[in-house]
Amino acid sequence: MAQLRRPPGGRPARIMLLALLLDRTGSGVWAAASVLYFTFVVGLDAGQLGLLLGTAGVAGIAGSPLAGHLAGRFPVRSLLIGCHLLRLATLCALLVVTRFEALLLVVALTNLGDRAAKTLEMLFATRVAGERRATYQALSRSSANAGYALGAGLAAIGLAVGSREAYQVLILANALSFVAAATLVWRTGEAGGRPLVRARTGGPAGQAGQEGREGPYGPTGRLQPGPSPWRDRGYLRFVLLDMPMNLDDSVLNVGLPLWLVHHTDAPHALVPAFLVINTVLVVVLQLRVSARVEAPRQAAAAVRLYGLTMFASCALLVLSTGGGAWTASVVLLAVAVLVTLAELVRSVSSWELAVSLAPQEARASYLGVAGMAQSVQKSAGPPLLTGAVMAAGPVGWLVLGTAVAGLSVVQRRYSLLRLDALDAPPARTVATPATGHGPGVGLVEPDGGTGRAGSGRS
């Protein structure tokens, strides 16, 4: 346990965790106040607000791959500072922007910076935490959730006042958190500062230079691009399957509240309890869960557990209707606990697999693409729940739970197959003696003559 309490990565990691705490505190302030600000201060109607949030979601999808692409060419630390400054500028612009068209651009850029910053934080962790990245991920999630909770509490003060000036103070508080986060990231020094591209040397095929030493340039001084994740159908298949493995977020934040209001007799005052349960359990249990999912194959096994937990959550929701207020309340609180447990498993397993299934020489761009799974889910998840699942009633929840559980089995199986392929020894070429019919022909054999297949990407 003493090892778990010590953040991997030393001083840079500790500074980054503090930066995460401050950043998410500001984000918690804005998350609690943004909808009310756009409604009562800016004066947007429901249609405009929906379009604004939808545009922000679409912009966020582009943030992860863009950050991954740039991280292969520029220092992660500089890019992360740039994201914080971009969010600072766009958030301060909200104090003076009133036209709806301009708001669309400002909010889209803010969300683009948010998603890019989250991806860069993941890339920073792969550099400073190394093989203990699961532990660092747990600590970062605990810090982030504590920050969100603190920010929501601070926002409650401004919302109680309710004036335009109070909302402006909340915006400035979030802006201040970006300044503090950027300053702390700058203080991390060189850790995570080099481009996350592994240089290729002129040696034998399949060999590469030491990661992080030569940077993105080989011995010729030219940029040596790694493999593209957009051409790796195997990795894209993993990302596609990872999208439904993130649905716990929409179930907790959209599905549970709307199901309570429209399909049960539970009191509406129960809705904030879902967030409280989620926040407390993540802060208390995330580190313990990560200790059990620190290896790639453990992460693959945990995917199936995620699917079973989500199925149990959806099946339990069916029991919340028709049994009175007390029964519905108990069932919904139990579902909130189960969904949070699923989130705890997913947050570690999904990230571990995203790192482990990517080639080291192009990890930055691959993780950028992997980050799209969460962004797409945040955009597509709420419409899926409101337009299909809840419209179908209890049957809709059963179908959703069954689908997620089934896809989790597919994801586990596929991840294990790809890990086997990556672990297989590289093929080597054996030259045959020249014959009278022409030059010798090179035969490809598994390294070491074990008879195993070469390490081709699936």
Side-chain angles (χ1 to χ4, degrees), residues 73-416:
R73 289 155 176 78
F74 303 99
V76 172
R77 184 168 63 108
S78 301
L79 291 173
L80 185 52
I81 292 173
C83 284
H84 289 321
L85 296 180
L86 171 65
R87 297 154 78 198
L88 170 66
T90 55
L91 199 66
C92 289
L94 289 178
L95 297 173
V96 296
V97 171
T98 56
R99 292 186 57 186
F100 179 68
E101 296 79 5
L103 280 175
L104 286 174
L105 176 62
V106 169
V107 174
L109 288 175
T110 302
N111 211 40
L112 179 74
D114 284 342
R115 295 307 309 173
K118 287 179 171 61
T119 297
L120 292 169
E121 289 162 357
M122 290 174 60
L123 294 173
F124 180 94
T126 64
R127 170 66 61 85
V128 300
E131 295 303 318
R132 294 186 62 203
R133 54 182 172 262
T135 302
Y136 180 89
Q137 169 75 342
L139 290 169
S140 68
R141 280 184 52 78
S142 297
S143 300
N145 276 271
Y148 277 124
L150 178 60
L154 295 174
I157 301 174
L159 296 179
V161 177
S163 64
R164 173 185 291 269
E165 291 74 17
Y167 280 104
Q168 291 175 337
V169 169
L170 295 179
I171 292 177
L172 291 175
N174 191 16
L176 182 62
S177 75
F178 296 149
V179 175
T183 302
L184 288 170
V185 172
W186 177 76
R187 290 187 59 192
T188 60
E190 284 300 312
R194 302 181 185 89
L196 292 179
V197 174
R198 189 172 180 176
R200 297 170 179 260
T201 68
Q207 293 184 357
Q210 289 182 320
E211 185 176 4
R213 292 193 179 275
E214 294 88 354
Y217 301 96
T220 63
R222 290 186 176 183
L223 183 68
Q224 304 293 313
S228 170
W230 299 107
R231 297 180 180 179
D232 190 335
R233 290 180 295 177
Y235 197 82
L236 291 177
R237 189 184 304 122
F238 160 76
V239 175
L240 182 64
L241 288 170
D242 200 43
M243 292 175 187
M245 301 300 110
N246 284 269
L247 276 171
D248 56 273
D249 177 74
S250 292
V251 170
L252 180 72
N253 296 306
V254 178
L256 278 182
L258 292 182
W259 187 257
L260 180 150
V261 171
H262 297 294
H263 297 273
T264 75
D265 297 323
H268 295 183
L270 195 67
V271 171
F274 301 150
L275 180 59
V276 172
I277 289 173
N278 178 262
T279 302
V280 171
L281 288 181
V282 169
V283 172
V284 173
L285 298 178
Q286 184 69 78
L287 201 57
R288 296 180 182 272
V289 173
S290 71
R292 300 178 180 272
V293 190
E294 289 192 320
R297 296 184 186 278
Q298 292 175 329
V303 173
R304 183 172 57 181
L305 177 60
Y306 174 87
L308 293 175
T309 307
M310 286 298 293
F311 175 79
S313 303
C314 294
L316 196 57
L317 268 173
V318 176
L319 304 178
S320 64
T321 59
W326 279 104
T327 300
S329 298
V330 172
V331 170
L332 289 172
L333 290 175
V335 172
V337 172
L338 283 175
V339 172
T340 300
L341 293 178
E343 176 191 344
L344 290 169
V345 173
R346 180 263 304 165
S347 63
V348 179
S349 62
S350 179
W351 188 45
E352 177 63 31
L353 289 174
V355 174
S356 301
L357 299 181
Q360 290 187 356
E361 65 269 21
R363 184 168 284 172
S365 58
Y366 271 68
L367 288 181
V369 173
M372 291 178 61
Q374 290 187 19
S375 300
V376 171
Q377 186 280 141
K378 285 183 177 295
S379 296
L384 171 67
L385 292 181
T386 57
V389 174
M390 285 187 282
V395 175
W397 286 112
L398 290 176
V399 171
L400 178 68
T402 303
V404 173
L407 289 173
S408 72
V409 174
V410 176
Q411 178 75 305
R412 171 186 174 275
R413 176 61 178 164
Y414 166 70
S415 298
L416 290 174

